[in-house]
Amino acid sequence: MGQFDGKVVYITGIARGQGRKYATRFAAEGAKIIGCDIADKASAWTRYPASTPEDMAETEKLVAEAGGELFARVGDVRDLAFQQQLVADGVAHFGGRLDIVVANAGICNWGKLWEMDEEQWNDTIDINLTGYWKTLKASIPHMLEAGNGGAITLLSSVAGLKSMPMQAAYSASKHGVVGLAQTAAKELGRHGIRVNTVHPYGVLTPMGGKDEGAHEVFNDMPEFLPHFEPILGMGMAKTDDIADSVLFLSSEQARTITGTTFTVDMGATKV
């Protein structure tokens, strides 16, 4: 018996990294998974390896090995019609319910705010913030129709609580996610749907650990390093560390928690 037996979860950005970990962890606890990923380079301004169709296939294999079932398609969270069709088809495939949503797909890039290209700014906001709104717009009607309450978790960042230098677009997008989540929490509370944000420090994923842009910033502009130092000198988090919090916030143990900013940040927001 798993704590999410019979539940259906929609997760964006599942091809690898945090999204893959959420999918396998929910599957191991009995949930059915609806998922999407662009499985390609989402923006010309990112400088870490892009996810691939092979990554998507690996996620599907790992979900099956965990005892779960994955209904997934390749697509862009910026495409509202794609998300709406995917969620509708996934909900129908799994018997007409949707209980949990994890908005996770996102990008990160670097640059001084006055030197950023307009496309760089727009890509970041369109994926990290507007893409989250489209995820909610595509999924909330199905949660309401099912009438089972549920939980929505939006992945923000340390940068969603403490703005970071060289990350104007990223910080703005992640701060915006907090406002979006807290409005949703107020509107959905009477339906028994809880909405929270999770705020990690760096996580060991391709985006977190293989970003050439970050390496250049820290090598060329060490004066910015103090803004990124956490209290605990543990290095980057593992994907399981963040998944622990996402599964907790989605569970009955968190039934009294909504509208919160849940920090998993080694104290980085307090520095």
Side-chain angles (χ1 to χ4, degrees):
M1 294 287 291
Q3 64 175 325
F4 297 109
D5 283 346
K7 306 285 189 181
V8 178
V9 185
Y10 177 42
I11 306 169
T12 64
I14 62 161
R16 65 180 190 190
Q18 293 183 60
R20 174 187 286 172
K21 182 60 67 173
Y22 306 146
T24 57
R25 290 281 300 274
F26 274 112
E29 291 290 342
K32 306 294 186 183
I33 314 298
I34 304 168
C36 70
D37 199 289
I38 195 169
D40 200 353
K41 193 171 181 65
S43 169
W45 300 95
T46 56
R47 298 184 58 195
Y48 46 85
S51 62
T52 66
E54 291 74 22
D55 291 326
M56 282 279 280
E58 179 68 12
T59 296
E60 185 169 6
K61 179 176 78 73
L62 292 171
V63 167
E65 289 175 354
E69 183 181 353
L70 174 63
F71 184 96
R73 289 176 182 159
V74 171
D76 194 331
V77 293
R78 289 170 285 192
D79 185 341
L80 176 60
F82 162 75
Q83 289 208 69
Q84 289 175 317
Q85 191 64 59
L86 168 63
V87 176
D89 291 347
V91 167
H93 179 77
F94 288 129
R97 66 183 297 159
L98 181 62
D99 304 278
I100 296 164
V101 175
V102 182
N104 166 72
I107 63 170
C108 181
N109 51 60
W110 302 79
K112 293 178 179 176
L113 69 91
W114 64 91
E115 294 178 351
M116 295 180 71
D117 187 272
E118 183 178 5
E119 183 184 69
Q120 180 181 2
W121 174 272
N122 288 340
D123 283 352
T124 309
I125 300 300
D126 287 348
I127 294 169
N128 291 6
L129 179 56
T130 308
Y132 276 27
W133 171 75
K134 291 178 180 180
T135 297
L136 299 186
K137 183 172 175 63
S139 57
I140 288 171
H142 296 281
M143 299 179 77
L144 295 175
E145 184 175 354
N148 299 315
I152 298 171
T153 302
L154 280 63
L155 271 294
S156 183
S157 167
V158 166
L161 298 174
K162 181 183 83 169
S163 293
M164 299 301 218
M166 303 297 290
Q167 288 193 326
Y170 186 76
S171 293
S173 71
K174 293 302 187 179
H175 273 75
V177 165
V178 175
L180 177 64
Q182 293 186 4
T183 291
K186 292 172 182 177
E187 293 177 357
L188 293 171
R190 68 188 183 92
H191 300 284
I193 299 173
R194 301 178 294 102
V195 188
N196 297 289
T197 52
V198 171
H199 299 260
Y201 175 63
V203 185
L204 279 171
T205 66
M207 187 173 87
K210 298 182 179 180
D211 190 340
E212 293 179 6
H215 297 157
E216 286 186 5
V217 166
F218 297 144
N219 287 334
D220 298 344
M221 288 166 274
E223 66 271 20
F224 292 137
L225 274 171
H227 296 281
F228 293 86
E229 292 291 336
I231 292 172
L232 297 176
M234 300 168 59
M236 288 190 173
K238 298 178 181 178
T239 53
D240 271 314
D241 295 321
I242 315 306
D244 286 341
S245 297
V246 171
L247 267 70
F248 166 69
L249 290 171
S250 303
S251 73
E252 280 301 304
Q253 289 101 323
R255 67 188 185 86
T256 63
I257 302 174
T258 196
T260 194
T261 53
F262 201 86
T263 55
V264 195
D265 69 344
M266 305 173 194
T269 54
K270 303 301 187 289
V271 177

